[in-house]
Amino acid sequence: MGMKKLLLIFMVIISIVLIGLTSRLHNNENQNAPKAVAGVIDLRQYDLHKNTVSLDGEWDFIPNKLLNYSEFDTHHSYSVNVPSLWSKYKLNGQNFTTLGSGTYRLKILIDDTDTILGIKTGNIRMSNAIYINEKRIGQSGEPAEDSTYIQQNVPYVAYFAPKKNELELIIHVANFDYASGGGIIGSIFIGDQESIGKLREGSLFYDLITIAAFFTMFIYFAGSYLYAKLEIEQLYFSLFCFMVGLYSLSHGEKILMLLLPISYEFLIRVQIISSIGSGIFMLLYFNHALQQFSHKKFVKALCIIGILLLATVMLPISISSYLQTAHSIYILIIIFYLLYIQTIAIFKRLVGAIYLWLSSMAILIYMVVATLNLNINLEIYSLPPLLPFICLTMLSLYISHRFTDSYLEKGRLTNALIRVDKLKDEFLAKTSHEFRTPLHGVIAISHSMLESNESSTLTMEQKEKISLIFNITKKLSHLVNDILDFSKLKEGELKLRLTNVDLYSVTHVIVEILSYIENKDVKIYNYIERGKIIVADEDRLRQILYNIIENAVKFTRHGKVEISCYEEQGFLTIEVSDTGRGIAPEHIESIFEPFRQLEDASKGTGLGLNVTKELVKLHGGEITVHSVVNQGTTFSVKLPVQTIKKVQQDTQQNKITLTKDYLPIAFPYVAERKMGKKILIADDDHINLKVLIDILAKENYSIIAVDDSRQVFEQLQAHPDIDLLILDIMMPNLSGYEVCQQIRKNYSSAELPILMLTAALRPEDMLAAFQSGANDFLHKPLDTAELKTRVRNLILLKESAETAIKMETAFLQAQIKPHFIYNVLNSILSLSYIDLDKARIMITDFATFLRSSFSFENTNSLIPLEQELMLIQAYVNIHQTRYPDQLEWEIQMEEPLTILIPPLLLQPLVENALFHGLKNKRVNGKVTMTIKKVQQMIDIKIKDNGIGMSQEIIEKVLSEEPTDHQSVGIRNITKRLKKYEKATFHIESVVGEGTTVILKFPLISDENEVEKC
């Protein structure tokens, strides 16, 4: 579609909107409709049988009184414009208050007194009652002259029979909640019964058609998302439609009040939720649909603001109504932002962007009119009921356009993928064949160097390295063969590499992984005995068992999964039983078909049961399933028991022999260096161990290597100073996960970092490693540079933790000096013989002091001021008991302050002040602490009459570098204060007269629950 055609469509839509708006306004104001003047409106020349007329104009108004017909003329009235907020009324030169009550009066002059007339109200906040010639004909809520009124601002229609040519219309209005003001905000219409009825029906029709349109789209897109879950934007769009439908239900004619028996306060909360919610979900929808043009930080900020505005729904109406304008501004900002990114999308020629722009324009017009409806006399049904359909039609065209393009693109990609898949198979096969030739050459050359007479000229280190090249190349050759076997899988020519496999180790690792990644109430029990050996392809066997066990866990909501095996008639049968929902008999035969899943399966199963079945067949076995619906399922993998040919081993089973001429290495292997960090390596693969030893030994680390997981615990007991453990996951006896879990019972992650190694590439293996307590994770084959970096970082982590612990211990010891404890204990002992009551009081104070001193967990956290003062008072009480009549203590604080300060911030300062005061032998020691609030700071002064300090000593105390004069406590206090903005620390002192410490700290309220500035 060309740009000119799109612009033409846009102009047509705008023209329709403008024509509808003009015709509506013209319909209300044509035929020279009369206006109220000086409290009187003359309708004697106006035909009320065909048209309604708004009673706009000048009304009489008496504030703060609800008067009847006879009382109105006894009070002074004011002429005000209706409709408008009464907060805009000028009464005696001043604006009327936003909250209050009042009485409106309008005299209506008519000719025909035989026709039934009707009145339709609009927006009258927040309650009203209408009287015609002293008779109440309608009301919404129950107005009163004080806050005892009952609010309910719902439009309604009232009919009456006029008996006079002069009608006196009295309206009582009260508002004591809505912050922007009350009064008659929307026009009041009068007409005969038929015209008023049509007006009411038109208003309801507009609301109902909008509600039906948006709720229909909500149901359609919500159902589509729940069924297919293709794109999250469908969910956002459905929720946007729901919110707009809810907005229409709670605004306009407020149909929600007619459908449900709810309070008006609840209705206002629905209005807030629907208004802000529609903006948020509209923003999220377009942000996802146009994410390449969206500004993520701006969208995130708008979402946070929207959530905060939504939270105001819990506030009383008298408070939340202050944010009415903020709500409107928020929605308009979102709409203009969306128009901005949609315009960019149009210029970037994004598919269907023009549809989004047109739909946003329709939403913008609708929201603007809805916003004006809340503040001025512009009814929302002034617009023709086309905007909802324009919006939904444009969005539907956009989604349809995208789906069509996506479908066509998928068709093209499918054809291309088929071609690429064929090319991939050919490339894989050719590349593998090309790899095989040079690998065989490397194998042959390295083998000849070890077997020929030339080996006699090689050193032991050279032989060792050539042997490593030989073995690694053999493994790489196996990898190439695996790639070739994979390419032959479709042809049924996959070959297995059978080895002796520890069945328990394989199943245990799978159980550990699934236990971590599945957050279900399912227990997995592994009843396979340790040391159960079977001849199989270890990788393929692991794939078989992982797929079956994962399926058992996935389809069991709560219960257990049991893994067991037994030998019978030359076959080893591995059973995986669950207590899940089971499989219907008609589905059992089809579950092994390719690409078949149960109808309610949510995702694939990795290799799939079809591949699992083929792998079992390759092993010469079979797989069967027995299931009972709602009771459980049992998969049985039957593998033939083959004669296990034991490998000829040396008498020393814990030795590695790379070649027949190479001297073996005994395990555990220990190579200590005096200054090097100590690393423990555990791996059952001797080649991997040797590679790790060589790499790390060059970095001057002390190395301890073991090939049995059980020896890890022995080495930890023998070498408690180990700095790092490198642990392989797949090991016999105990897996790496089990070892890690046992270690974490005695060592934290900072005390003993653990680096795990594995050849597995599943993300679940990494997750299980971290869940079991590992600090880091590396895949095999290892990259040398990456290994060195990770080892270095983990060792630095331990060093940092040790440093932090030492600093924390030093800080704590600085607060409680040993000689202070000894002196207190001696004082308590002495008092116990003289004055038992004082001894008990001193014990209580000492206990309070110790408890408060040790209660903090982090020197960077904040505690209430009251807690710090309690610690100080206990400390002072102890000294006053020890030095009766020699120490005077005073706290000057105008009022209790519920604020937060760093722990042990003031106690060391008071301790120093007491110490200085007691050293002055001329007079008794006196310490005064003054605490006061100065703006947003707390000002603390600690003054003593002690020996004082010279300016030189003060400068040294406050200097950055520690000196003999500077205590750990003062240095720690000044260091911690630097973390808080505007915090200051100052000392004033005069030798022989005393010292004053002045500390200023930012005011942090206890209610904020803040831990850092």
Side-chain angles (χ1 to χ4, degrees):
M1 182 180 292
M3 184 61 71
K4 292 183 179 179
K5 292 184 179 179
L6 293 174
L7 291 175
L8 180 61
I9 293 176
F10 172 71
M11 294 302 297
V12 170
I13 294 172
I14 295 298
S15 299
I16 293 174
V17 172
L18 293 176
I19 291 171
L21 180 59
T22 304
S23 62
R24 179 64 190 175
L25 296 176
H26 179 70
N27 186 48
N28 290 335
E29 299 183 3
N30 62 358
Q31 300 179 1
N32 299 319
K35 297 292 183 181
V37 178
V40 179
I41 186 169
D42 190 352
L43 303 180
R44 288 176 293 188
Q45 304 301 322
Y46 193 85
D47 188 0
L48 296 177
H49 293 280
K50 297 181 180 179
N51 299 298
T52 61
V53 62
S54 64
L55 302 179
D56 297 348
E58 298 175 353
W59 290 45
D60 293 329
F61 175 71
I62 297 178
N64 300 321
K65 297 289 184 180
L66 300 182
L67 306 174
N68 56 30
Y69 174 80
S70 59
E71 296 173 335
F72 194 90
D73 289 328
T74 63
H75 292 74
H76 175 66
S77 62
Y78 300 88
S79 180
V80 296
N81 288 323
V82 173
S84 65
L85 286 168
W86 65 25
S87 57
K88 298 179 181 180
Y89 298 166
K90 288 290 186 179
L91 308 181
N92 296 326
Q94 295 182 346
N95 288 337
F96 185 51
T97 180
T98 57
L99 305 180
S101 61
T103 303
Y104 291 86
R105 184 181 71 173
L106 179 66
K107 292 182 180 181
I108 306 172
L109 305 180
I110 60 174
D111 278 334
D112 190 358
T113 59
D114 297 329
T115 303
I116 299 297
L117 299 180
I119 286 180
K120 183 189 180 303
T121 66
N123 188 4
I124 305 178
R125 293 185 190 151
M126 290 292 289
S127 66
N128 65 85
I130 298 180
Y131 299 84
I132 295 289
N133 294 338
E134 299 187 80
K135 180 180 179 182
R136 178 182 289 193
I137 63 170
Q139 67 181 87
S140 181
E142 187 65 45
E145 294 182 356
D146 52 30
S147 59
T148 59
Y149 82 122
I150 300 174
Q151 57 178 336
Q152 186 174 2
N153 179 17
V154 179
Y156 59 90
V157 171
Y159 297 99
F160 62 94
K163 298 180 181 179
K164 300 179 181 179
N165 295 104
E166 181 179 316
L167 305 176
E168 184 156 357
L169 174 62
I170 298 287
I171 301 181
H172 292 169
V173 181
N175 170 43
F176 291 95
D177 289 291
Y178 216 77
S180 60
I184 303 175
I185 302 173
S187 295
I188 298 175
F189 294 91
I190 189 171
D192 66 349
Q193 186 173 3
E194 181 180 357
S195 61
I196 288 295
K198 289 182 179 179
L199 183 61
R200 171 70 166 179
E201 291 172 359
S203 303
L204 291 173
F205 173 76
Y206 185 93
D207 287 346
L208 289 173
I209 198 171
T210 305
I211 293 167
F214 280 96
F215 276 141
T216 300
M217 298 301 288
F218 160 69
I219 294 172
Y220 173 78
F221 283 100
S224 175
Y225 173 77
L226 293 175
Y227 177 75
K229 293 186 178 179
L230 296 176
E231 294 289 346
I232 191 65
E233 64 186 75
Q234 286 193 3
L235 177 63
Y236 292 148
F237 181 67
S238 65
L239 293 175
F240 163 69
C241 292
F242 175 79
M243 288 297 176
V244 176
L246 194 62
Y247 182 90
S248 300
L249 267 175
S250 58
H251 288 78
E253 295 301 302
K254 300 175 182 174
I255 298 176
L256 189 61
M257 293 289 290
L258 304 177
L259 299 177
L260 299 175
I262 60 175
S263 65
Y264 193 75
E265 183 176 355
F266 181 80
L267 178 73
I268 293 180
R269 299 186 191 280
V270 173
Q271 289 178 341
I272 297 174
I273 292 173
S274 61
S275 175
I276 302 302
S278 62
I280 292 176
F281 289 117
M282 178 172 59
L283 176 66
L284 292 175
Y285 168 70
F286 284 113
N287 176 64
H288 192 275
L290 303 174
Q291 53 186 335
Q292 64 268 43
F293 309 111
S294 183
H295 303 276
K296 290 182 172 53
K297 291 184 179 179
F298 186 70
V299 171
K300 184 178 180 181
L302 286 178
C303 289
I304 293 174
I305 293 172
I307 293 172
L308 294 176
L309 291 176
L310 275 178
T312 62
V313 75
M314 305 304 297
L315 299 174
I317 297 175
S318 58
I319 299 177
S320 62
S321 57
Y322 278 102
L323 299 173
Q324 173 189 318
T325 304
H327 295 169
S328 302
I329 294 174
Y330 176 73
I331 299 298
L332 291 177
I333 289 174
I334 289 176
I335 294 175
F336 283 117
Y337 167 72
L338 296 180
L339 286 173
Y340 163 71
I341 64 173
Q342 289 162 12
T343 303
I344 295 177
I346 292 174
F347 282 105
K348 296 292 185 180
R349 299 184 180 276
L350 182 71
V351 175
I354 189 66
Y355 300 130
L356 295 178
W357 193 85
L358 293 174
S359 66
S360 296
M361 283 298 300
I363 297 172
L364 175 62
I365 296 172
Y366 182 83
M367 289 298 180
V368 168
V369 175
T371 302
L372 294 177
N373 180 45
L374 296 175
N375 299 281
I376 66 173
N377 183 28
L378 179 59
E379 301 294 343
I380 197 170
Y381 48 82
S382 299
L383 296 173
L386 294 177
L387 290 178
F389 289 103
I390 293 173
C391 173
L392 296 178
T393 300
M394 292 298 105
L395 289 174
S396 299
L397 287 174
Y398 167 72
I399 294 173
S400 175
H401 200 163
R402 285 191 62 189
F403 283 171
T404 302
D405 285 357
S406 178
Y407 176 78
L408 296 175
E409 182 66 19
K410 285 181 179 178
R412 291 191 294 269
L413 291 176
T414 300
N415 295 330
L417 187 60
I418 293 173
R419 293 193 301 270
V420 172
D421 186 59
K422 293 180 180 179
L423 293 174
K424 180 261 299 179
D425 291 339
E426 295 176 5
F427 172 79
L428 197 61
K430 290 180 180 179
T431 304
S432 299
H433 280 291
E434 293 297 326
F435 277 149
R436 176 179 285 180
T437 301
L439 282 175
H440 285 173
V442 175
I443 292 173
I445 294 172
S446 58
H447 186 265
S448 64
M449 291 182 67
L450 293 172
E451 294 292 333
S452 66
N453 294 330
E454 297 177 2
S455 62
S456 59
T457 62
L458 300 176
T459 64
M460 290 303 301
E461 183 178 359
Q462 291 172 334
K463 287 184 178 180
E464 174 189 346
K465 291 181 178 180
I466 293 174
S467 298
L468 285 173
I469 293 173
F470 177 80
N471 286 277
I472 292 172
T473 311
K474 287 286 290 183
K475 285 192 172 185
L476 186 57
S477 177
H478 288 311
L479 176 60
V480 171
N481 291 331
D482 287 342
I483 295 174
L484 290 172
D485 292 340
F486 179 77
S487 65
K488 297 176 183 178
L489 180 61
K490 296 180 181 179
E491 307 298 331
E493 299 177 359
L494 182 66
K495 296 179 181 179
L496 301 178
R497 187 169 69 250
L498 300 179
T499 58
N500 294 338
V501 180
D502 187 337
L503 185 59
Y504 172 81
S505 295
V506 173
T507 54
H508 177 75
V509 170
I510 296 173
V511 170
E512 289 291 311
I513 293 173
L514 293 175
S515 298
Y516 290 127
I517 65 176
E518 295 289 346
N519 297 320
K520 289 187 173 183
D521 187 18
V522 179
K523 299 294 184 181
I524 307 177
Y525 299 97
N526 185 7
Y527 295 121
I528 295 178
E529 297 178 357
R530 295 181 185 267
K532 191 71 175 180
I533 306 297
I534 185 173
V535 176
D537 187 314
E538 182 175 350
D539 294 333
R540 304 304 179 187
L541 179 62
R542 187 172 183 231
Q543 292 174 355
I544 292 169
L545 295 178
Y546 188 93
N547 191 32
I548 296 174
I549 298 172
E550 183 190 37
N551 272 310
V553 174
K554 183 170 65 175
F555 294 109
T556 303
R557 293 188 176 181
H558 53 82
K560 61 182 178 179
V561 174
E562 298 178 326
I563 308 168
S564 60
C565 71
Y566 60 89
E567 192 173 333
E568 184 180 33
Q569 297 178 354
F571 284 88
L572 180 67
T573 302
I574 305 170
E575 287 190 345
V576 179
S577 302
D578 64 68
T579 58
R581 67 188 186 191
I583 305 172
E586 61 270 18
H587 292 150
I588 289 181
E589 294 299 327
S590 63
I591 61 174
F592 291 107
E593 295 179 5
F595 308 108
R596 283 296 299 269
Q597 292 180 319
L598 298 180
E599 294 181 356
D600 54 351
S602 60
K603 58 182 179 179
T605 56
L607 293 173
L609 289 177
N610 176 260
V611 175
T612 300
K613 183 177 181 180
E614 294 301 321
L615 289 175
V616 173
K617 284 184 178 180
L618 286 175
H619 281 82
E622 63 176 345
I623 182 171
T624 58
V625 59
H626 173 73
S627 183
V628 178
V629 177
N630 296 326
Q631 292 188 18
T633 304
T634 299
F635 279 88
S636 300
V637 178
K638 185 181 291 186
L639 299 176
V641 177
Q642 302 182 32
T643 302
I644 303 175
K645 297 180 181 179
K646 295 186 177 180
V647 180
Q648 298 296 327
Q649 299 177 342
D650 287 334
T651 55
Q652 297 178 341
Q653 296 183 358
N654 59 343
K655 296 180 180 180
I656 173 174
T657 304
L658 298 179
T659 67
K660 63 182 181 181
D661 297 326
Y662 180 71
L663 295 177
I665 298 177
F667 291 100
Y669 169 83
V670 179
E672 294 196 27
R673 298 175 183 267
K674 292 183 178 180
M675 302 300 295
K677 296 292 182 179
K678 191 171 293 185
I679 300 175
L680 173 60
I681 308 172
D683 196 330
D684 61 327
D685 190 323
H686 291 171
I687 294 179
N688 286 339
L689 279 175
K690 183 56 182 170
V691 170
L692 288 169
I693 291 171
D694 283 349
I695 293 174
L696 297 176
K698 293 179 181 179
E699 299 296 312
N700 293 322
Y701 293 120
S702 297
I703 306 297
I704 302 173
V706 297
D707 60 352
D708 189 334
S709 56
R710 292 172 296 188
Q711 295 178 2
V712 171
F713 306 105
E714 299 174 3
Q715 296 302 321
L716 287 175
Q717 291 181 353
H719 303 273
D721 57 340
I722 289 176
D723 296 287
L724 174 66
L725 169 60
I726 300 177
L727 182 64
D728 186 44
I729 292 179
M730 289 295 295
M731 288 190 292
N733 300 317
L734 293 175
S735 70
Y737 296 132
E738 292 178 289
V739 174
C740 194
Q741 290 170 352
Q742 291 293 329
I743 289 175
R744 284 293 172 252
K745 294 179 179 179
N746 300 317
Y747 298 90
S748 67
S749 58
E751 292 173 330
L752 179 59
I754 298 177
L755 175 64
M756 276 197 169
L757 309 177
T758 182
L761 298 177
R762 289 176 175 267
E764 295 86 353
D765 295 299
M766 184 183 300
L767 177 62
F770 288 126
Q771 293 286 355
S772 62
N775 295 75
D776 209 343
F777 189 93
L778 272 179
H779 290 290
K780 296 179 181 179
L782 301 174
D783 180 81
T784 302
E786 184 178 8
L787 172 66
K788 293 178 180 178
T789 301
R790 303 227 177 170
V791 168
R792 185 160 50 248
N793 289 341
L794 289 175
I795 291 177
L796 288 174
L797 171 67
K798 182 181 179 182
E799 290 178 347
S800 299
E802 290 176 346
T803 302
I805 292 173
K806 291 177 180 179
M807 291 180 64
E808 199 76 19
T809 304
F811 173 76
L812 184 61
Q813 292 173 346
Q815 310 309 312
I816 307 175
K817 300 177 177 62
H819 70 82
F820 170 73
I821 298 177
Y822 301 150
N823 292 337
V824 172
L825 293 177
N826 288 332
S827 298
I828 293 173
L829 182 62
S830 301
L831 285 173
S832 64
Y833 295 101
I834 303 172
D835 192 334
L836 189 58
D837 291 334
K838 284 188 177 181
R840 290 173 178 172
I841 293 173
M842 193 171 186
I843 291 172
T844 303
D845 291 331
F846 187 56
T848 301
F849 174 79
L850 291 178
R851 183 174 63 252
S852 300
S853 298
F854 286 98
S855 64
F856 67 95
E857 298 178 356
N858 190 333
T859 57
N860 291 325
S861 62
L862 299 176
I863 63 170
L865 174 63
E866 181 182 0
Q867 183 176 337
E868 181 81 353
L869 295 179
M870 185 183 303
L871 170 65
I872 292 172
Q873 189 62 51
Y875 183 83
V876 171
N877 290 343
I878 292 172
H879 277 281
Q880 287 181 331
T881 304
R882 292 181 59 201
Y883 305 100
D885 302 326
Q886 296 183 31
L887 178 62
E888 183 178 352
W889 162 254
E890 182 180 6
I891 296 181
Q892 298 177 357
M893 187 164 55
E894 296 178 358
E895 58 181 339
L897 297 175
T898 54
I899 60 174
L900 300 175
I901 63 171
L904 297 177
L905 181 69
L906 305 179
Q907 188 273 336
L909 302 177
V910 174
E911 180 179 352
N912 288 337
L914 292 177
F915 177 75
H916 293 156
L918 291 174
K919 286 180 67 176
N920 192 344
K921 303 302 182 180
R922 296 180 293 100
V923 294
N924 291 335
K926 180 178 180 180
V927 178
T928 303
M929 176 187 286
T930 304
I931 303 175
K932 63 180 179 179
K933 175 183 175 184
V934 180
Q935 295 180 351
Q936 294 301 314
M937 301 289 291
I938 176 174
D939 195 338
I940 302 173
K941 293 183 179 179
I942 301 174
K943 183 177 181 181
D944 66 69
N945 61 345
I947 59 176
M949 295 182 291
S950 65
Q951 189 62 31
E952 181 181 359
I953 295 177
I954 293 176
E955 292 176 357
K956 291 182 179 180
V957 168
L958 296 177
S959 64
E960 293 288 337
E961 299 297 329
T963 65
D964 296 336
H965 301 280
Q966 184 181 11
S967 67
V968 177
I970 296 293
R971 185 167 66 251
N972 188 279
I973 290 172
T974 56
K975 180 180 179 181
R976 285 193 289 159
L977 283 178
K978 291 181 180 179
K979 300 179 181 178
Y980 299 92
E981 187 178 2
K982 298 182 180 180
T984 61
F985 183 85
H986 181 63
I987 298 177
E988 297 178 355
S989 184
V990 177
V991 176
E993 294 185 12
T995 304
T996 301
V997 176
I998 304 171
L999 189 150
K1000 293 185 179 181
F1001 191 80
L1003 188 64
I1004 303 176
S1005 176
D1006 197 0
E1007 289 80 5
N1008 292 335
E1009 300 180 3
V1010 178
E1011 287 198 351
K1012 280 189 176 183
C1013 256

